[in-house]
Amino acid sequence: MSEQTAQRVQQEVQLPEGVVADNVGLSVLTLLRNYGIDAVFGIPGTHNLEFYRHLAPLGIRAVTSRHEQGAGYGADGWSQQTGLPGVVITTSGPGLLNALSAAGTAYCESRPLIILSPGVPEGEEFADVGALHETKDAVGAAGAIVEWSRRVHSGTEAAQAIHEAFELFRYGRPRPVHIEVPLNVLEGPSDCPAELLEATPRREPVGASAQAIRHAAQLLAESRRPVLLAGGGSLRAGQHLLQLAEALDTPVLTTLNGKGAVPESHPLSLGSDIRLPAAQQLCEEADVLLLIGSKVGEAELWFNQLHPSGTVIRVDILPGQMAKNVVADVPLVGDSAAVVPQLLTALQDEHSVVHQASASERVETRARRDRGADRVARLRPVLRDAARELAPPLAALAEQVASVLPANAVLGGDSSQVTYFGTASFVPQDRPHSFLYTPAYATLGYGLPASIGAKVAAPDRPVVCVLGDGALMFAVQELATAVEQRLDLVVVCADNGGYGEIRQNELDRGIAPVGVDLVQPDWAALATAFGGHGERITSSEDFAPALAAAIDSGGVRLLHVPTELFVAA
């Protein structure tokens, strides 16, 4: 592939002096294409053009954001639909630094992301001579944010770095990486052998020790009040997680990063409301808490901490997580993709420790345990009422979204009250990676570009982004990206007049509101100016029909919805 592409490039364009067709840029993009990457996000710049040269010949779609931060969030939305790492190409200096907020998000939320950037030519490091985009230490700046940041010096080193990145994404805790290619290396001939440009085949995921699995399975089989709490790391287990919940007949709670790990319409699902006190109490009163793939941090728990009274069985890919926030009594170190099937087998195997108890003892244990669906049915209305009390107007708005949202839709969110008080609780999801959000990093400006990335990756799925006016203004320029990419995308701007959460924080501290009541543009006109279609909703009764029509109509459509319309709803 590399040689043929190089020949095509040579024929199509006269290359500048010093630049070769079969350069390191081609090696990098060829390897990424062989790993399945068919779209990249970024902005072309003076120094990164030898990455961009090879996109079209390799069949890779270039999605040009209007800010590199948006490129990073777009890559994240794309990644969540494809299961592959998002790829961002920045230029040197400011382009890279603009993308680092998105890199911080990917690190905090454990998302796979590759950032490619050019760097100053070899021998000109730290020269401080006033070169274009000169940056004191770009690799060091990125390295302070990402899992690792590396400056490579050949095509072989670049390819090895990409292979190492995929090793991390597949078998470790997925987090962003940065690869810098010096300009003279990027444009120069590649020494990379053809075999190094092939994707490595996947290995089987690593499971936990057999002894630990047997112990965990016995505890779970004998438990009377088990609870399963699933985080983002549980999503690798796929359908096995639901099978485990059914085998245990246990209620399932998820974090927001784990939303949809078990279909939220299932009788055993309590949704993603772990931040609510009643959900936390359920976990704390469990005689066995099975915690899978979550750091159970304060952001997901809304500044609380779990204090389980029973035995904690914890599944995590990293040993260092086993004592973080909640201490594991039975640590199961391994990939949930392997550990969850191990637990299923141990529970079902008639020769396992679980089944060595007498039949009468097993019947007695089951008789003492409430059915999981009954426990869920009792708690669901409690959680729903508690969620509604937090912000009744936003709950009403979100319920209207749920009433018309297609079952296979992707729902984008942001660090907006309408997301964490509204759609997170009142729009159930039956598929993982269908709720785009960053609960821990809690960045503004994520929702719109992430929704764009999701639609690029999954053109057949409806994508609706519901976010606040403050969050939308952080990335409103990406409406142009959506129009340019000819996407069908619906954006709901829930307008509360500024930064509503911070306004309340100020009032709670006895501070007169300052800097939070903001001038609003004509949102409908703004969407139209970008080439989409805008509509202002003037009655709460009009919202759901307008949203349904926007989803059906196609194109980029924005609904401006003042939240005050739902105050009496």
Side-chain angles (χ1 to χ4, degrees):
M1 181 186 292
S2 173
E3 182 177 350
Q4 294 173 348
T5 304
Q7 290 174 351
R8 286 202 304 271
V9 171
Q10 191 75 55
Q11 293 168 359
E12 291 172 3
V13 65
Q14 183 66 41
L15 294 167
E17 185 178 353
V19 177
V20 296
D22 192 7
N23 58 24
V24 170
L26 176 60
S27 292
V28 168
L29 272 301
T30 297
L31 178 54
L32 288 172
R33 188 69 185 90
N34 286 339
Y35 268 112
I37 304 298
D38 62 7
V40 299
F41 297 76
I43 301 176
T46 302
H47 290 158
N48 66 13
L49 297 181
E50 292 308 316
F51 286 130
Y52 273 85
R53 179 190 299 280
H54 308 294
L55 296 179
L58 289 170
I60 299 176
R61 180 176 183 172
V63 181
T64 301
S65 65
R66 293 325 195 248
H67 190 283
E68 288 88 355
Q69 179 173 298
Y73 296 142
D76 181 80
W78 183 90
S79 172
Q80 291 193 60
Q81 305 314 305
T82 62
L84 295 166
V87 175
V88 174
I89 298 176
T90 77
T91 193
S92 53
L96 171 63
L97 298 185
N98 282 346
L100 289 187
S101 183
T105 303
Y107 186 90
C108 190
E109 310 293 352
S110 299
R111 310 267 175 84
L113 178 70
I114 296 174
I115 300 176
L116 298 173
S117 73
V120 297
E122 293 172 304
E124 297 182 17
E125 299 87 350
F126 313 110
D128 193 23
V129 294
L132 180 66
H133 299 332
E134 191 166 62
T135 305
K136 179 182 177 183
D137 184 2
V139 173
I145 305 296
V146 301
E147 182 70 10
W148 52 257
S149 176
R150 189 167 304 162
R151 181 173 165 90
V152 299
H153 298 281
S154 67
T156 294
E157 281 190 28
Q160 289 169 338
I162 291 170
H163 286 303
E164 186 176 330
F166 274 85
E167 185 80 5
L168 170 68
F169 303 148
R170 287 174 169 179
Y171 312 114
R173 184 177 183 177
R175 279 178 154 166
V177 303
H178 166 239
I179 302 171
E180 180 182 271
V181 186
L183 196 58
N184 63 303
V185 175
L186 177 64
E187 297 178 344
S190 178
D191 65 340
C192 191
E195 58 270 19
L196 199 59
L197 298 182
E198 294 299 322
T200 59
R202 281 185 174 272
R203 305 189 304 273
E204 290 297 316
V206 175
S209 74
Q211 182 178 0
I213 289 290
R214 285 195 299 270
H215 186 200
Q218 183 177 13
L219 290 168
L220 288 165
E222 296 174 353
S223 66
R224 297 173 60 185
R225 300 183 311 281
V227 173
L228 195 164
L229 175 55
S234 73
L235 299 180
R236 294 186 179 194
Q239 289 297 313
H240 291 115
L241 192 69
L242 175 57
Q243 294 169 19
L244 178 61
E246 291 175 336
L248 293 170
D249 191 25
T250 182
V252 181
L253 280 160
T254 76
T255 66
L256 286 171
N257 272 331
K259 190 174 179 69
V262 165
E264 293 187 328
S265 61
H266 193 278
L268 291 175
S269 174
L270 283 167
S272 57
D273 283 329
I274 187 58
R275 64 196 183 282
L276 298 178
Q280 295 171 19
Q281 183 179 356
L282 179 75
C283 294
E284 292 177 338
E285 294 179 350
D287 60 350
V288 177
L289 175 62
L290 177 56
L291 174 58
I292 304 179
S294 174
K295 54 182 175 287
V296 284
E298 67 171 26
E300 285 276 21
L301 299 175
W302 275 9
F303 304 101
N304 292 324
Q305 188 170 4
L306 284 183
H307 298 284
S309 59
T311 301
V312 176
I313 301 171
R314 191 162 186 177
V315 179
D316 203 282
I317 204 163
L318 297 179
Q321 295 295 104
M322 293 302 175
K324 190 170 289 184
N325 295 319
V326 173
V327 176
D329 298 300
V330 183
L332 300 179
V333 179
D335 192 325
S336 67
V339 176
V340 172
Q342 283 181 296
L343 285 172
L344 269 171
T345 299
L347 287 165
Q348 296 166 352
D349 188 348
E350 63 181 357
H351 301 297
S352 73
V353 176
V354 178
H355 293 278
Q356 290 179 10
S358 68
S360 61
E361 288 174 327
R362 294 200 302 274
V363 170
E364 182 182 355
T365 298
R366 289 293 182 183
R368 293 196 305 262
R369 179 193 290 185
D370 282 355
R371 289 182 62 247
D374 292 339
R375 297 168 69 194
V376 168
R378 288 195 295 269
L379 192 54
R380 268 183 177 171
V382 175
L383 294 176
R384 196 167 187 84
D385 289 346
R388 191 183 308 281
E389 288 176 7
L390 293 171
L394 299 180
L397 187 156
E399 286 178 320
Q400 289 208 28
V401 172
S403 71
V404 299
L405 196 70
N408 67 331
V410 176
L411 180 64
D414 213 299
S415 190
S416 302
Q417 289 181 311
V418 71
T419 299
Y420 50 78
F421 286 148
T423 55
S425 293
F426 294 96
V427 184
Q429 295 288 350
D430 281 353
R431 296 172 62 173
H433 300 296
S434 296
F435 183 69
L436 306 176
Y437 185 44
T438 64
Y441 202 67
T443 183
L444 285 165
Y446 170 83
L448 175 55
S451 299
I452 289 170
K455 187 64 180 181
V456 169
D460 295 332
R461 296 184 68 182
V463 178
V464 176
C465 180
V466 181
L467 74 175
D469 56 281
L472 180 54
M473 189 58 79
F474 264 68
V476 69
Q477 68 277 1
E478 302 305 340
L479 287 172
T481 305
V483 171
E484 183 174 78
Q485 294 292 321
R486 299 182 179 180
L487 303 180
D488 296 330
L489 177 68
V490 178
V491 179
V492 175
C493 175
D495 175 10
N496 66 3
Y499 301 139
E501 175 79 359
I502 308 307
R503 187 182 198 278
Q504 187 59 53
N505 292 163
E506 290 177 345
L507 291 171
D508 291 344
R509 290 172 175 262
I511 302 171
V514 54
V516 292
D517 296 317
L518 306 178
V519 170
Q520 298 292 312
D522 183 332
W523 287 104
L526 186 60
T528 302
F530 275 114
H533 175 80
E535 178 180 355
R536 189 177 193 274
I537 305 301
T538 57
S539 167
S540 61
E541 290 80 10
D542 294 338
F543 173 51
L547 178 58
I551 293 171
D552 290 341
S553 297
V556 176
R557 296 183 173 268
L558 183 145
L559 301 181
H560 174 212
V561 186
T563 58
E564 63 188 24
L565 297 177
F566 294 86
V567 170

